[in-house]
Amino acid sequence: MNFTKMQGCGNDYIYVDSEKEKIRNPSALARRISDRHYGVGADGLILICPSDRADFRMEMYNADGSRGTMCGNGIRCLGQYVYQNGKTEKKELEIETDSGIKKLWLYPDDKNFRVRVCMGVPDIREKHFAVSIRGRKTEVVLVSMGNPHAVIFLPPDAGSFRQWKMEYAREISEYSAFRGGINAELVRMTSEYGMKMRVWERGSGETLSCGTGACAAAAAAAVTGRGKRRMKIEMPGGILSTEWKTGSGLMYLEGTSRIICKGDYTDKY
Ligand SMILES: N[C@H](CCC[C@H](N)C(=O)O)C(=O)O
């Protein structure tokens, strides 16, 4: 099976053209191919599928085989994939996802391939949701970007973000009240226009960045008076930019994407 491995801000996925490869069980394939030792190694699997409602359809699976309903970094890489593999010459695309149709703008001529995505309107579910884990009470902001996020703001003295205890983010992600799990973002504001963020993704564990998570954190910062509506989100895998339009309420995500390698996956799937 021919595959392409790509990363957006360090969030890496295996891309397979479903028109060329017949995948019987994508969930099982996602688990096997994502394994960092017995597979190719990735945060999950993304199938590029035909669509009768848009230019293409994105079908996304986390590393544990669970279906992801939206993936900000993944859809950015998909835009580069279809353009650079000659599946389209368009630089404005519509991609069908499990969370509706998203619009992409491609900038292939930049030093790194840059993609801007309209991510839709952030759905602020709860501004002050109380979580109590092992007696430690924390207030999280619940936001949906077509997938669920719990944003935890850390104090300014939270220290270097590489030292943050991600076990806590995992506990939030697996908290019993969040049926089906949730993506948990730890955030420390660096200014009204900037933040540092690490993420524990449901279905994949800690990833180096999360596109929907960056949007959720930016929206959470804005609605809690911590941030403005343009934000730079620095994560271990790199920096993403968001812009939350006041008129339309639409959130835009922007960043670069890279093709890492192409290969032939010969294990059973
Ligand atoms: N783990 C997420 C899907 C991937 C999201 C992330 N990689 C992104 O870039 O948005 C979920 O199950 O909702």
Short mmCIF file of all heavy atoms in Angstrom, two decimals, residues 11 13 60 62 66-74 119 147-149 183 201-204 207 209-213, ligand 1:
data_model
loop_
_atom_site.label_atom_id
_atom_site.label_comp_id
_atom_site.label_asym_id
_atom_site.label_seq_id
_atom_site.Cartn_x
_atom_site.Cartn_y
_atom_site.Cartn_z
N ASN A 11 2.78 17.57 14.00
CA ASN A 11 1.65 16.62 14.18
C ASN A 11 1.61 15.77 12.92
O ASN A 11 1.25 16.24 11.85
CB ASN A 11 0.39 17.46 14.35
CG ASN A 11 -0.84 16.74 14.85
OD1 ASN A 11 -1.92 17.32 14.70
ND2 ASN A 11 -0.74 15.58 15.42
N TYR A 13 0.95 12.51 10.35
CA TYR A 13 -0.07 11.55 9.95
C TYR A 13 0.38 10.80 8.70
O TYR A 13 1.21 11.30 7.92
CB TYR A 13 -1.41 12.25 9.67
CG TYR A 13 -2.06 12.78 10.93
CD1 TYR A 13 -1.89 14.10 11.32
CD2 TYR A 13 -2.80 11.94 11.76
CE1 TYR A 13 -2.45 14.58 12.49
CE2 TYR A 13 -3.37 12.41 12.94
CZ TYR A 13 -3.19 13.72 13.30
OH TYR A 13 -3.73 14.19 14.47
N MET A 60 -10.44 10.79 9.02
CA MET A 60 -9.29 10.85 9.92
C MET A 60 -9.43 9.86 11.07
O MET A 60 -10.52 9.68 11.63
CB MET A 60 -9.22 12.29 10.48
CG MET A 60 -8.01 12.59 11.29
SD MET A 60 -8.46 12.44 13.05
CE MET A 60 -6.82 12.28 13.73
N ASN A 62 -7.41 8.54 14.72
CA ASN A 62 -6.33 8.72 15.70
C ASN A 62 -5.47 7.45 15.74
O ASN A 62 -5.83 6.42 15.19
CB ASN A 62 -6.93 8.99 17.08
CG ASN A 62 -7.64 10.34 17.15
OD1 ASN A 62 -7.06 11.38 16.86
ND2 ASN A 62 -8.91 10.32 17.52
N SER A 66 -9.48 5.25 16.82
CA SER A 66 -10.76 5.95 16.96
C SER A 66 -10.89 6.99 15.85
O SER A 66 -9.90 7.53 15.35
CB SER A 66 -10.84 6.64 18.34
OG SER A 66 -9.78 7.57 18.49
N ARG A 67 -12.12 7.25 15.45
CA ARG A 67 -12.39 8.21 14.36
C ARG A 67 -12.29 9.62 14.92
O ARG A 67 -12.91 9.94 15.94
CB ARG A 67 -13.80 7.94 13.83
CG ARG A 67 -14.22 8.77 12.62
CD ARG A 67 -13.66 8.24 11.31
NE ARG A 67 -14.26 8.95 10.16
CZ ARG A 67 -15.16 8.39 9.34
NH1 ARG A 67 -15.57 7.16 9.55
NH2 ARG A 67 -15.66 9.08 8.32
N GLY A 68 -11.54 10.47 14.26
CA GLY A 68 -11.50 11.88 14.66
C GLY A 68 -12.46 12.65 13.77
O GLY A 68 -12.49 12.43 12.55
N THR A 69 -13.24 13.56 14.34
CA THR A 69 -14.27 14.25 13.54
C THR A 69 -13.73 15.49 12.86
O THR A 69 -14.35 16.02 11.95
CB THR A 69 -15.46 14.64 14.46
OG1 THR A 69 -14.92 15.26 15.63
CG2 THR A 69 -16.25 13.40 14.87
N MET A 70 -12.56 15.97 13.30
CA MET A 70 -11.93 17.11 12.62
C MET A 70 -10.47 17.14 13.02
O MET A 70 -10.09 16.66 14.07
CB MET A 70 -12.65 18.40 13.01
CG MET A 70 -12.12 19.67 12.34
SD MET A 70 -11.89 19.50 10.54
CE MET A 70 -10.81 20.89 10.25
N CYS A 71 -9.63 17.64 12.10
CA CYS A 71 -8.17 17.67 12.37
C CYS A 71 -7.59 18.88 11.63
O CYS A 71 -7.52 18.87 10.39
CB CYS A 71 -7.53 16.37 11.89
SG CYS A 71 -5.77 16.27 12.27
N GLY A 72 -7.21 19.89 12.40
CA GLY A 72 -6.74 21.14 11.77
C GLY A 72 -5.41 20.97 11.07
O GLY A 72 -5.21 21.46 9.95
N ASN A 73 -4.46 20.28 11.72
CA ASN A 73 -3.16 20.06 11.07
C ASN A 73 -3.31 19.08 9.91
O ASN A 73 -2.70 19.25 8.85
CB ASN A 73 -2.15 19.52 12.08
CG ASN A 73 -1.68 20.59 13.06
OD1 ASN A 73 -1.51 21.75 12.67
ND2 ASN A 73 -1.50 20.21 14.30
N GLY A 74 -4.16 18.08 10.11
CA GLY A 74 -4.33 17.08 9.06
C GLY A 74 -4.92 17.65 7.79
O GLY A 74 -4.47 17.34 6.67
N MET A 119 -11.96 27.32 9.94
CA MET A 119 -12.27 26.18 10.84
C MET A 119 -13.71 26.21 11.34
O MET A 119 -14.08 25.37 12.17
CB MET A 119 -11.30 26.23 12.03
CG MET A 119 -9.84 26.06 11.65
SD MET A 119 -9.44 24.39 11.17
CE MET A 119 -9.40 23.61 12.78
N ASN A 147 -14.68 18.98 17.18
CA ASN A 147 -14.24 17.94 18.11
C ASN A 147 -14.07 18.62 19.47
O ASN A 147 -13.91 19.82 19.56
CB ASN A 147 -12.95 17.27 17.62
CG ASN A 147 -11.79 18.25 17.49
OD1 ASN A 147 -11.96 19.46 17.60
ND2 ASN A 147 -10.60 17.74 17.27
N PRO A 148 -14.11 17.84 20.55
CA PRO A 148 -14.18 18.46 21.88
C PRO A 148 -12.82 18.80 22.47
O PRO A 148 -11.86 18.02 22.32
CB PRO A 148 -14.87 17.38 22.72
CG PRO A 148 -14.43 16.09 22.08
CD PRO A 148 -14.28 16.38 20.61
N HIS A 149 -12.75 19.93 23.18
CA HIS A 149 -11.50 20.37 23.81
C HIS A 149 -11.77 20.91 25.22
O HIS A 149 -12.80 21.57 25.45
CB HIS A 149 -10.85 21.48 22.97
CG HIS A 149 -10.40 21.02 21.63
ND1 HIS A 149 -9.14 20.53 21.39
CD2 HIS A 149 -11.08 20.90 20.47
CE1 HIS A 149 -9.04 20.17 20.13
NE2 HIS A 149 -10.21 20.36 19.53
N ASN A 183 -9.90 16.26 24.01
CA ASN A 183 -8.54 16.77 23.78
C ASN A 183 -8.25 17.82 24.85
O ASN A 183 -9.08 18.74 25.03
CB ASN A 183 -8.45 17.37 22.37
CG ASN A 183 -8.83 16.34 21.31
OD1 ASN A 183 -8.08 15.41 21.05
ND2 ASN A 183 -10.03 16.50 20.74
N GLU A 201 -3.91 14.65 23.24
CA GLU A 201 -5.04 14.41 22.34
C GLU A 201 -5.73 13.08 22.68
O GLU A 201 -5.05 12.07 22.91
CB GLU A 201 -4.56 14.32 20.88
CG GLU A 201 -4.23 15.65 20.27
CD GLU A 201 -4.14 15.55 18.75
OE1 GLU A 201 -4.82 14.68 18.16
OE2 GLU A 201 -3.38 16.33 18.17
N ARG A 202 -7.04 13.11 22.70
CA ARG A 202 -7.75 11.84 22.84
C ARG A 202 -7.38 11.00 21.61
O ARG A 202 -7.26 11.51 20.50
CB ARG A 202 -9.25 12.04 22.94
CG ARG A 202 -9.90 12.45 21.64
CD ARG A 202 -11.41 12.42 21.72
NE ARG A 202 -11.94 12.91 20.44
CZ ARG A 202 -13.21 12.98 20.17
NH1 ARG A 202 -14.10 12.64 21.07
NH2 ARG A 202 -13.62 13.43 19.00
N GLY A 203 -7.10 9.74 21.87
CA GLY A 203 -6.84 8.83 20.76
C GLY A 203 -5.42 8.79 20.27
O GLY A 203 -5.04 7.89 19.51
N SER A 204 -4.60 9.79 20.66
CA SER A 204 -3.21 9.78 20.19
C SER A 204 -2.19 10.09 21.28
O SER A 204 -0.99 9.95 21.05
CB SER A 204 -3.03 10.80 19.04
OG SER A 204 -3.76 10.39 17.91
N THR A 207 0.69 15.06 21.47
CA THR A 207 1.19 15.34 20.12
C THR A 207 1.98 16.65 20.19
O THR A 207 1.84 17.42 21.14
CB THR A 207 0.02 15.48 19.11
OG1 THR A 207 -0.84 16.53 19.55
CG2 THR A 207 -0.76 14.17 19.00
N SER A 209 1.67 19.19 18.36
CA SER A 209 0.77 20.35 18.18
C SER A 209 -0.62 19.83 17.81
O SER A 209 -0.79 18.64 17.52
CB SER A 209 1.28 21.28 17.07
OG SER A 209 0.98 20.73 15.80
N CYS A 210 -1.59 20.72 17.84
CA CYS A 210 -2.99 20.33 17.54
C CYS A 210 -3.68 21.55 16.94
O CYS A 210 -3.76 22.60 17.59
CB CYS A 210 -3.68 19.89 18.83
SG CYS A 210 -5.41 19.45 18.64
N GLY A 211 -4.14 21.40 15.70
CA GLY A 211 -4.73 22.56 15.02
C GLY A 211 -6.06 22.97 15.62
O GLY A 211 -6.29 24.15 15.94
N THR A 212 -6.96 21.99 15.82
CA THR A 212 -8.25 22.32 16.45
C THR A 212 -8.02 22.78 17.88
O THR A 212 -8.73 23.66 18.39
CB THR A 212 -9.18 21.10 16.44
OG1 THR A 212 -8.47 19.96 16.97
CG2 THR A 212 -9.70 20.79 15.05
N GLY A 213 -6.98 22.21 18.53
CA GLY A 213 -6.67 22.62 19.91
C GLY A 213 -6.18 24.05 19.97
O GLY A 213 -6.53 24.80 20.90
N1 LIG B 1 -7.44 13.77 18.48
C1 LIG B 1 -8.47 14.62 17.85
C2 LIG B 1 -8.33 14.59 16.31
C3 LIG B 1 -7.01 15.22 15.82
C4 LIG B 1 -6.96 16.69 16.11
C5 LIG B 1 -5.61 17.35 15.93
N2 LIG B 1 -4.49 16.52 15.56
C6 LIG B 1 -5.70 18.59 15.08
O1 LIG B 1 -4.71 18.96 14.42
O2 LIG B 1 -6.77 19.25 15.11
C7 LIG B 1 -9.86 14.08 18.24
O3 LIG B 1 -10.01 12.87 18.37
O4 LIG B 1 -10.77 14.91 18.37
#
